[in-house]
Amino acid sequence: MPIINIEKFAQAVEEAKKLARPRKFKQSVELIIKLKDIDIRKPENRLNTIVELPHGSGKEAKVCVIAQGDLALKARELADMVLTREDVLKYGSSRRSIRKLAKTYDFFVAQADLMPLIGRYFGPLLAPRGKMPMPVPPNADLKPIIGRLRRSIRIRVRSQPQVMCRIGTEDMDSKAIAENANAVFEALTQKYKIPYNIEKVYVKLTMGPAVKVDPW
């Protein structure tokens, strides 16, 4: 049972598409949710979570795997980038290189026993960006993990009581985009009272005006 009214949300997406001027690039469809009655000065009220979108965001997320041995070999067939323990040590001497990694890759997956080393060298730059790796055992099946991540987005509530995220592209079906939005609202129910903690909801294209949505 959807949390939001899919048809009403799809209509708002259609309006946002019509209001946006054509551009020379494929525009993203962005969801903006303003929260209320939440004190984000309290760490327990902040949010950093991964949401798998049922129809993907229109652009596959890039995944970097940090592993050794067999897991690293398997990862080379699936991930966009594979780093070994030696690579972590090498990158550790260059904050600029780590920043570039953080900017290039959406998600990081790491062999669990490498996490202390990763935390030491990469943590100071990945943690503030909410991109600390997802730990997995050395015998993990990476195919379904990376497959889910490629269809996923990260949503964060940190310094402002709002969520801003990509839920599709302008060439996607509006109902599919609405169903992606519903997945975001479902994730928010794990932390907040929905719809009580929702003040306003908007949907827009990258360069287009925001369209207010009554998602219920």
Side-chain angles (χ1 to χ4, degrees):
M1 184 71 179
I3 293 176
I4 63 174
N5 185 314
I6 298 296
E7 296 302 326
K8 284 175 67 176
F9 202 99
Q11 289 172 10
V13 173
E14 281 294 314
E15 184 178 353
K17 289 179 179 180
K18 290 175 183 176
L19 291 175
R21 290 168 51 193
R23 302 288 175 172
K24 294 181 179 180
F25 63 94
K26 186 190 298 184
Q27 297 188 69
S28 298
V29 179
E30 300 170 0
L31 173 64
I32 304 168
I33 303 172
K34 293 186 179 294
L35 304 172
K36 65 177 182 179
D37 298 331
I38 296 170
D39 186 358
I40 57 172
R41 292 173 297 180
K42 297 180 178 179
E44 64 269 23
N45 290 332
R46 298 171 193 159
L47 178 69
N48 178 19
T49 191
I50 295 171
V51 180
E52 181 182 355
L53 301 179
H55 303 285
S57 71
K59 179 183 178 182
E60 282 195 343
K62 291 187 176 182
V63 182
C64 175
V65 174
I66 306 172
Q68 288 284 94
D70 289 343
L71 192 64
L73 289 175
K74 295 174 183 175
R76 293 188 193 284
E77 300 177 3
L78 302 166
D80 299 285
M81 176 75 165
V82 178
L83 300 178
T84 63
R85 183 180 187 279
E86 291 70 28
D87 292 325
V88 173
L89 294 172
K90 181 177 69 176
Y91 275 93
S93 62
S94 172
R95 292 175 66 87
R96 183 177 179 181
S97 296
I98 300 172
R99 283 195 195 95
K100 186 175 180 180
L101 280 175
K103 186 176 181 180
T104 303
Y105 300 100
D106 301 289
F107 299 107
F108 291 81
V109 176
Q111 192 168 310
D113 55 6
L114 293 178
M115 285 299 292
L117 186 72
I118 295 165
R120 177 182 174 187
Y121 288 102
F122 286 16
L125 289 172
L126 292 186
R129 292 166 170 79
K131 289 192 175 184
M132 283 299 288
M134 173 192 298
V136 297
N139 61 348
D141 183 357
L142 290 176
K143 188 172 182 178
I145 295 171
I146 292 177
R148 286 194 298 270
L149 290 176
R150 291 202 185 283
R151 298 187 298 273
S152 298
I153 58 170
R154 185 184 301 277
I155 58 174
R156 301 184 75 191
V157 177
R158 189 182 179 200
S159 58
Q160 298 291 330
Q162 68 178 18
V163 172
M164 297 180 66
C165 60
R166 169 191 177 124
I167 53 170
T169 51
E170 60 182 328
D171 60 336
M172 288 175 61
D173 177 73
S174 294
K175 185 177 179 181
I177 294 172
E179 290 171 353
N180 281 348
N182 187 71
V184 174
F185 280 95
E186 285 181 344
L188 293 179
T189 63
Q190 305 302 312
K191 176 71 73 169
Y192 310 118
K193 296 178 181 177
I194 307 300
Y196 174 76
N197 287 134
I198 304 295
E199 181 179 356
K200 296 176 182 177
V201 179
Y202 299 92
V203 64
K204 66 185 291 293
L205 267 61
T206 306
M207 303 295 287
V211 174
K212 190 174 181 180
V213 188
D214 175 7
W216 324 117

